[in-house]
Amino acid sequence: MNRRKLPLGDRNRVGKRVTQARQAKGMRQTELLARLQVQGIEISLPALSLLEGQKRPVSDLELVALSEALGVSVLWLLGLSDSSEDTEGPKTK
C-alpha cells in the first residue's frame, strides 16, 4: 500500500474518512471507482486520489454515491457522527 506523500488539503471534509472506510473494507481505489461507476458517478483515479487527499471538492451526488459504495452514512463521512451506521435522517438507497 502506498503512503500519502503530501499533507492533506482543505478542499473537503470527507476525504480522510473515504480512505479510512475503503481501507477498513480492504478495498482498492479501483474497486471503489467501479462501485461508483455502477451508480453513474465517473471519477478518474487521479481525481479520487485528490478527493481522498482533501485537495478536491466533493459534490453532493458524489457524497451520496460514496456513502452507498462504502456502506457508511453521509453523516459519518462528513464527520458529524461517530457511528458509520448513523440512523438519523433519511436513509440513502
Side-chain angles (χ1 to χ4, degrees):
M1 168 174 43
N2 294 334
R3 296 228 178 244
R4 179 162 308 285
K5 296 175 183 160
L6 300 172
L8 292 176
D10 60 0
R11 301 293 306 272
N12 71 54
R13 297 179 69 172
V14 304
K16 186 175 179 180
R17 289 215 171 178
V18 168
T19 303
Q20 183 181 348
R22 180 179 59 76
Q23 290 176 344
K25 295 182 181 308
M27 188 185 303
R28 299 179 66 99
Q29 285 182 328
T30 52
E31 184 179 345
L32 177 54
L33 290 173
R35 289 182 181 203
L36 292 172
Q37 282 181 333
V38 168
Q39 297 182 60
I41 303 294
E42 294 286 333
I43 301 177
S44 67
L45 187 57
L48 179 58
S49 292
L50 289 172
L51 184 155
E52 287 189 355
Q54 295 175 287
K55 298 196 180 282
R56 168 191 182 279
V58 179
S59 75
D60 56 350
L61 295 174
E62 292 171 337
L63 179 62
V64 171
L66 285 163
S67 168
E68 292 176 0
L70 294 166
V72 297
S73 75
V74 169
L75 291 176
W76 183 82
L77 282 177
L78 289 169
L80 300 175
S81 170
D82 292 333
S83 171
S84 64
E85 298 175 5
D86 194 307
T87 57
E88 288 187 30
K91 283 284 202 183
T92 58
K93 291 276 179 187

